[in-house]
């Protein structure tokens, strides 16, 4: 087998390469560092062994021990992923690990990662090269763990010009600034220092070379020195949810789209799956019987994408729907139908059972027969509403939603978050079962009025409802719930009494000249304004 030396990137999980994702999916062992984003470990199979070797002060393993571990596991025939922050060959000791593997005759592959030296400045809005400001850049470490320090020639770097990107330089920033100024860089040379770059915790400080020594910084920080640091093309820190922690309670298999939408808005996501999908209690016999006469119903009404999946698995051929018309509770369920080749005849204007029932009874002049494939023990509102309107309703259990009890660590992280998102009442019920008497709860943002009602009953303050049942709409609702309040309007201006009319005498003209701003010479059509 092979040892893969993988660069995990600087922190944003979206920056992991396609090849790194492929390799993690087949890993038997993942040997990971402190700076590798923890959620990336979920890309490895659940059976994969995970070994932490982060090199904190007094950390668990020295580099020589890590090398020996990789050799040992590689010789044992395992698929070993060495997951490192940034790029393995940019101050990542990847070269030393490759040397050890080569000397031991163990096959290895290097999977480059996006270096923090490039990604962090980009996320801070600083291009490391820019026409007219810098035609080159140098990446240098401000600290070495070698027993013998390699003294960087900072004066030569200052004389070389271009952009200087310093990694691991917080502790020695005073010395670095002093020597760069001794090498000829001006005291007012712009500096940008970014902590936890590309992550939701990202913070950027702008200063100059003279102020670098005194500005408050804590590692990990990427420092950019040079004319390009005077640019502020910031975009990442303008995201509405930057620095906010949001909990996703959906099933693990369906959480990805919502987590991605929240991260795209800057949030730190805590995935806390509180429910899971299981087969029906009767092993699918009731659904099979209902599906056998699918074409005899006037309507087949779907209340979830999971119901669509269950029915599709039972019918094998969408032509089995025959003349039956199809309704969907919301856009996500409608999309699931379209993916199997069925265009719904009706989609509820709001993603809840009452809205679906009202839409169906309003759109159809005479009641008919309905097949309702849904979760076992689903709330009965829809079936009750349809029956009250004269419809003949067949309810078939298509799947079950079962509670998942979260571990204490994950639950504590969720309780410390800003917002919990709920997409179903069953997720709320699972939360309440896990935390029967909770401390002050985060805000809740929900899909659907029924889910919001369940959240309020569980003690949550529901801050917002998604405008529709989609991940993007739910993420927008979270951003709206956490948006800072609008500033108050300015107070009304007091009326200024009319000035007395003067006759244009010398005293009046002198006072006017003293009060007027210095406008400079009259424009002549060819001054700075004309050429600027």
């Amino acid at each position: 087998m092979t040892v893969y030396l993988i660069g995990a990137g600087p922190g944003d999980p979206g920056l992991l390469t396609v090849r790194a994702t492929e390799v993690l999916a087949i890993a038997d062992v993942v040997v990971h560092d402190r700076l590798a984003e923890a959620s990336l470990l979920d890309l490895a199979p659940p059976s994969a062994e995970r070994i932490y070797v982060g090199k904190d002060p007094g950390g668990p393993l020295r580099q020589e021990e890590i090398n020996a571990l990789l050799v040992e596991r590689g010789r044992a025939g395992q698929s070993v992923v060495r997951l490192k922050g940034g790029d393995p060959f940019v101050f990542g000791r990847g070269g030393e690990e490759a040397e050890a593997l080569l000397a031991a005759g163990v096959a290895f592959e290097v999977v480059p990662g996006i270096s923090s030296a490039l990604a962090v400045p980009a996320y801070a809005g600083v291009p490391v090269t820019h026409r007219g400001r810098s035609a080159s850049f140098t990446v240098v470490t401000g600290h070495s763990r070698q027993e013998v320090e390699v003294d960087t020639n900072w004066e030569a770097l200052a004389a070389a010009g271009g952009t200087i990107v310093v990694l691991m330089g917080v502790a020695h920033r005073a010395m670095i600034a002093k020597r760069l100024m001794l090498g000829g860089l001006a005291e007012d040379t712009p500096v940008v220092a970014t902590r936890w770059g590309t992550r939701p915790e990202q913070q950027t400080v702008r200063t100059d070379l003279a102020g670098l020594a005194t500005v408050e910084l804590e590692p990990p920080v990427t420092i950019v020195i040079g004319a390009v640091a005077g640019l502020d093309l910031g975009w990442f820190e303008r995201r509405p949810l930057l620095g906010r922690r949001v909990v996703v309670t959906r099933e693990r298999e369906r959480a990805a789209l919502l987590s991605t939408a929240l991260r795209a808005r800057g949030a730190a996501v805590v995935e806390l799956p509180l429910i899971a999908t299981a087969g029906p209690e009767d092993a699918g016999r009731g659904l099979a019987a209902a599906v056998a006469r699918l074409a005899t119903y006037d309507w087949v009404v779907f209340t979830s994408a999971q119901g669509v999946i269950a029915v599709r698995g039972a019918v094998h051929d969408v032509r089995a729907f025959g003349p039956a018309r199809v309704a969907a509770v919301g856009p996500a369920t409608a999309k699931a139908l379209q993916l199997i080749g069925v265009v719904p005849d009706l989609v509820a204007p709001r993603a809840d059972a009452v809205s679906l029932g009202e839409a169906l009874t309003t759109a159809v002049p005479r009641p008919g027969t309905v097949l309702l494939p849904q979760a076992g023990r689903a709330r009965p509102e829809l079936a009750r509403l349809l029956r009250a309107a004269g419809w003949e309703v067949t309810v078939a259990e298509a799947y079950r939603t079962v509670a998942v009890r979260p571990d204490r660590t994950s639950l504590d992280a969720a309780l410390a978050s800003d917002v919990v998102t709920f997409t179903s009442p069953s997720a709320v019920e699972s939360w309440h079962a896990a935390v029967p008497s909770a401390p002050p709860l985060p805000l809740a943002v929900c899909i659907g009025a029924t889910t919001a009602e369940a959240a309020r009953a569980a003690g949550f303050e529901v801050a917002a409802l998604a405008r529709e049942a989609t991940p993007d709409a739910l993420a927008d609702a979270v951003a709206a719930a956490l948006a800072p309040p609008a500033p108050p309007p300015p107070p009304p201006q007091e009326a200024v009494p009319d000035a007395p009319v003067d006759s244009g005498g010398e005293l009046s003209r002198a006072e006017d000249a003293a009060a007027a701003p210095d406008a400079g010479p009259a424009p002549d059509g060819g001054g700075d304004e004309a050429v600027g």
Side-chain angles (χ1 to χ4, degrees):
M1 299 298 285
T2 304
V3 176
Y4 299 92
L5 306 178
I6 291 182
D12 184 344
L15 297 180
L16 190 71
T17 66
V18 173
R19 179 56 179 158
T21 303
E22 293 171 346
V23 171
L24 274 165
I26 61 169
D28 297 315
V29 182
V30 181
V31 181
H32 61 101
D33 277 352
R34 176 175 64 97
L35 295 182
E37 167 60 35
S39 66
L40 299 181
L41 298 177
D42 293 336
L43 298 175
S47 59
E49 183 181 0
R50 291 153 172 83
I51 303 174
Y52 174 66
V53 295
K55 286 178 243 173
D56 312 273
L61 292 179
R62 294 180 294 109
Q63 184 60 51
E64 294 77 11
E65 295 171 311
I66 296 173
N67 297 348
L69 174 65
L70 298 178
V71 169
E72 174 192 347
R73 295 307 183 95
R75 282 177 170 168
Q78 293 179 304
S79 179
V80 182
V81 166
R82 174 70 171 104
L83 191 63
K84 308 170 74 69
D87 180 274
F89 278 9
V90 179
F91 304 124
R93 299 287 188 93
E96 296 173 42
E97 293 168 359
E99 285 180 325
L101 292 165
L102 186 64
V106 176
F108 67 92
E109 176 183 329
V110 179
V111 181
I114 298 177
S115 172
S116 59
L118 299 178
V120 173
Y123 272 55
V126 178
V128 293
T129 64
H130 189 80
R131 186 167 58 176
R133 293 191 184 225
S134 176
S136 65
F137 66 92
T138 302
V139 181
V140 60
T141 177
H143 175 72
S144 174
R145 289 192 176 92
Q146 298 283 357
E147 293 184 6
V148 178
E149 293 286 339
V150 178
D151 185 25
T152 300
N153 191 336
W154 296 100
E155 293 80 6
L157 287 179
T163 305
I164 302 171
V165 181
V166 183
L167 306 181
M168 300 176 286
V170 169
H172 302 292
R173 62 188 184 279
M175 176 274 293
I176 292 169
K178 178 180 178 181
R179 291 184 58 181
L180 288 173
M181 288 186 287
L182 288 173
L185 285 186
E187 292 185 354
D188 62 354
T189 300
V191 175
V192 167
T194 303
R195 184 170 190 254
W196 288 120
T198 80
R199 298 172 184 251
E201 302 86 1
Q202 176 174 313
Q203 294 178 321
T204 296
V205 175
R206 293 178 175 274
T207 183
D208 56 27
L209 208 51
L212 179 58
T214 57
V215 70
E216 290 189 13
L217 295 176
E218 292 183 15
V221 169
T222 299
I223 301 172
V224 181
I225 301 167
V228 294
L231 294 170
D232 186 358
L233 309 178
W235 57 276
F236 184 70
E237 290 178 42
R238 293 191 175 102
R239 293 184 170 189
L241 292 176
L242 192 75
R244 300 290 200 158
R245 181 178 293 186
V246 182
V247 184
V248 174
T249 60
R250 300 198 79 169
E251 306 96 312
R252 189 174 296 280
E253 297 77 14
R254 301 180 62 202
L257 290 177
L258 177 55
S259 296
T260 298
L262 290 166
R263 289 188 180 108
R265 289 156 179 80
V269 175
V270 177
E271 291 193 358
L272 186 79
L274 292 173
I275 54 175
T277 301
E281 288 186 352
D282 66 355
R285 289 186 293 273
L287 181 64
V291 164
R293 52 192 188 93
L294 193 62
T296 67
Y297 295 98
D298 295 312
W299 284 84
V300 183
V301 178
F302 290 95
T303 59
S304 69
Q306 193 61 43
V308 176
I309 295 168
V311 169
R312 180 67 180 90
V315 299
H316 305 297
D317 190 336
V318 295
R319 288 175 293 184
F321 281 88
R325 301 178 75 188
V326 177
V329 74
T333 303
K335 183 176 181 180
L337 283 164
Q338 291 166 0
L339 290 174
I340 68 168
V342 177
V343 178
D345 300 280
L346 183 147
V347 180
R350 298 189 313 276
D352 61 70
V354 173
S355 176
L356 178 57
E358 290 174 348
L360 190 59
T361 55
T362 302
V364 181
R366 286 197 303 269
T369 57
V370 172
L371 172 62
L372 188 56
Q374 60 181 20
R377 302 177 187 173
R379 296 189 174 223
E381 285 90 345
L382 178 56
R384 184 185 299 140
L385 191 154
L386 292 173
R387 286 176 178 137
W391 291 73
E392 181 184 334
V393 181
T394 299
V395 177
E397 183 179 332
Y399 62 97
R400 282 181 301 139
T401 298
V402 296
V404 173
R405 192 167 186 86
D407 63 82
R408 189 70 239 179
T409 301
S410 300
L411 197 55
D412 287 344
L415 286 167
S417 297
D418 298 291
V419 165
V420 179
T421 60
F422 291 113
T423 59
S424 68
S426 55
V428 179
E429 292 164 6
S430 181
W431 173 288
H432 190 57
V435 196
S437 56
L441 295 171
L443 297 174
V445 174
C446 304
I447 283 181
T450 305
T451 303
E453 181 183 346
R456 291 188 188 98
F460 285 93
E461 176 188 344
V462 178
L465 283 178
R467 67 182 184 278
E468 59 182 7
T470 64
D472 277 326
L474 187 54
D476 285 341
V478 172
L482 295 178
Q493 300 255 343
E494 291 186 11
V496 178
D498 293 337
V501 178
D502 68 80
S503 59
E506 290 295 326
L507 179 61
S508 166
R509 288 193 293 273
E511 288 174 344
D512 287 346
D518 183 10
D524 62 7
D528 291 341
E529 188 175 13
V531 299

